[in-house]
Amino acid sequence: MTIEASDSARVDYSRVFTQAIDRLHAEGRYRVFIDILRNKGAFPNARCFAGHNGPKPVTVWCSNDYLAMGQHPKVIAAMEEALHDVGAGSGGTRNIGGNTHYHVDLEAELADLHGKEGALLFTSGYVSNEATLSTVAKILPGCIIYSDELNHASMIAGIRNAGCEKRVFRHNDLAHLEELLAADDPAMPKLIAFESVYSMEGDIAPIAAICDLADKYNALTYLDEVHAVGMYGPRGGGISEREDVAHRLTIIEGTLGKAFGVMGGYVAADQTIIDVIRSYAPGFIFTTSLSPVLVAGVLASVRHLKSSSVERDGQQAAAARMKAMLADAGLPVMQGETHIVPLMVGDPVKAKKISDVLLAEYGIYVQPINYPTVPRGTERLRFTPGPAHDEAMMRELTDALVEIWGRLELKKAA
């Protein structure tokens, strides 16, 4: 006997999906992606296609390719050489056919960058966080993970998928972290997960002090360095290299798609931990590996930034100059000690409006940052000035923001 649902009992799937999108529109946080092409060798110049009768020149202010290494001649040449040498794709998962000599070389370079025995490549920083945290916690019976409240969504996903106990400590609050550590059974495995540079706030974790607590309570440490690798330290090893604490960290995670300018993610640790992740993490085992063309580009980028500080120095100078300009103009720039330059708006609709006006009227591209990337009420514009953003570009941006702030009657800095 077949039972069919009456018309009144049927689920209106289309209506459910439409309502989900309508909620985003109503809250002012529906995301629109720009239609853009960067101009090779001329970053931050690009061409925008949306809403125009052809490409319109724009200046990009929100790229995570912080050092413009995606445009670097060494990186492009390495990728072209690999493409003509081995072809486009990797051939499969690392286990089946996707393990190339490029992958082996890059993992060795990344392990060396962080002073670790081994490293493991993933297709993205998101996957490396999710796969590693969930796998390590599952391997440790009864593991408890202590997570900074501002950790990235990929770390939160990894912790959730681990199915273990978790404790969330207030952002960079050492006293709260210790309170949580002290309250748990000393015999239980523990892992503290945190970031070095928090990309929406532009602040830095007290890494050494967290390592002190890890030593005191016999906990492992997991540091996400995605917004710091390539950017800090004499060889681009991140904040942990700059502060000479990399050797104290159990696992260091990074990305290949930001300062290194290409694509991918990785973790570095002692060889046994790397072998465990390689052998147990579904996000590694069942995923087609990075194209050797991409890996070759990253390899050239990592090697270059190990020996060159020109890009890092230029980027830091640009960020400092821009923060000063925005502050002098009375705009609510969030001062921090990193290369991130957030401008507080505090309203999703207004943040989107500012972004739209900048693009349409001034040819300036910056995306609004809304919930869930940041908490509600802290919506902002996030600028990432790089070594190629000159003073004239910054003046143009600052003047545009001042005009729009006045037009929209927005609150200036106190």
Side-chain angles (χ1 to χ4, degrees), residues 25-29 345 347-354 370 379:
H25 281 291
E27 295 172 15
R29 58 188 188 92
V345 179
D347 180 274
V349 175
K350 290 177 181 177
K352 178 68 166 57
K353 179 64 175 177
I354 298 167
N370 297 329
E379 292 81 8

Side-chain angles (χ1 to χ4, degrees), residues 96-393:
I96 292 176
N99 191 70
T100 75
H101 190 62
Y102 287 109
H103 292 78
V104 174
D105 274 354
L106 180 54
E107 287 174 341
E109 288 284 352
L110 293 169
D112 171 77
L113 180 65
H114 296 293
K116 300 298 183 185
E117 292 178 355
L120 191 66
L121 289 174
F122 292 85
T123 51
S124 73
Y126 188 104
V127 175
S128 57
N129 267 336
E130 191 283 325
T132 301
L133 282 166
S134 61
T135 298
V136 169
K138 286 176 181 175
I139 292 294
L140 296 168
C143 181
I144 304 170
I145 295 182
Y146 304 81
S147 175
D148 188 289
E149 68 177 343
L150 294 188
N151 277 343
H152 190 267
S154 57
M155 300 175 76
I156 295 169
I159 295 166
R160 182 182 298 118
N161 291 341
C164 65
E165 289 287 322
K166 68 174 180 180
R167 313 280 185 259
V168 178
F169 61 93
R170 291 185 292 271
H171 178 52
N172 283 347
D173 190 330
L174 296 170
H176 189 214
L177 173 58
E178 180 161 22
E179 178 185 327
L180 295 173
L181 287 163
D184 283 319
D185 185 346
M188 301 304 290
K190 300 174 177 63
L191 187 151
I192 305 171
F194 61 108
E195 301 181 34
S196 58
V197 172
Y198 287 85
S199 66
M200 294 302 148
E201 308 298 317
D203 60 353
I204 292 175
I207 302 175
I210 291 176
C211 288
D212 290 342
L213 289 177
D215 291 344
K216 182 176 180 179
Y217 292 94
N218 191 30
L220 303 179
T221 49
Y222 183 99
L223 178 65
D224 177 317
E225 284 261 44
V226 297
H227 290 279
V229 290
M231 303 293 295
Y232 300 92
R235 300 195 309 155
I239 300 295
S240 58
E241 183 194 25
R242 186 188 75 176
E243 299 182 359
D244 193 26
V245 291
H247 62 285
R248 301 185 63 189
L249 294 155
T250 312
I251 301 171
I252 296 175
E253 185 266 350
T255 183
L256 308 171
K258 292 184 171 64
F260 293 128
V262 189
M263 179 183 176
Y266 67 92
V267 291
D270 72 40
Q271 196 59 58
T272 303
I273 291 176
I274 292 298
D275 201 17
V276 164
I277 300 165
R278 182 188 69 85
S279 302
Y280 284 90
F284 174 82
I285 296 170
F286 299 108
T287 300
T288 298
S289 68
L290 284 168
S291 161
V293 176
L294 296 172
V295 179
V298 176
L299 192 55
S301 184
V302 171
R303 285 171 172 167
H304 175 79
L305 289 175
K306 278 184 176 181
S307 60
S308 173
S309 292
V310 173
E311 295 81 6
R312 284 189 284 276
D313 294 343
Q315 202 282 333
Q316 290 292 328
R321 186 182 305 118
M322 185 168 171
K323 288 176 187 177
M325 277 192 184
L326 296 177
D328 290 345
L331 294 165
V333 60
M334 300 168 64
Q335 293 291 346
E337 53 183 315
T338 71
H339 58 284
I340 307 295
V341 185
L343 192 63
M344 181 58 66
V345 179
D347 180 274
V349 175
K350 290 177 181 177
K352 178 68 166 57
K353 179 64 175 177
I354 298 167
S355 172
D356 289 345
V357 173
L358 282 171
L359 183 61
E361 299 184 21
Y362 291 95
I364 291 171
Y365 170 46
V366 60
Q367 279 286 68
I369 306 296
N370 297 329
Y371 177 84
T373 307
V374 295
R376 298 179 194 274
T378 68
E379 292 81 8
R380 66 201 66 178
L381 303 176
R382 176 183 175 273
F383 299 95
T384 54
H389 287 93
D390 60 31
E391 191 165 349
M393 292 174 181

Side-chain angles (χ1 to χ4, degrees), residues 3 30 35 53 58 61 89 108 202 213 231 237 281 309 354 382 411:
I3 300 176
Y30 178 76
D35 184 356
N53 295 320
V58 297
W61 280 100
L213 289 177
M231 303 293 295
S309 292
I354 298 167
R382 176 183 175 273
K411 184 178 180 181

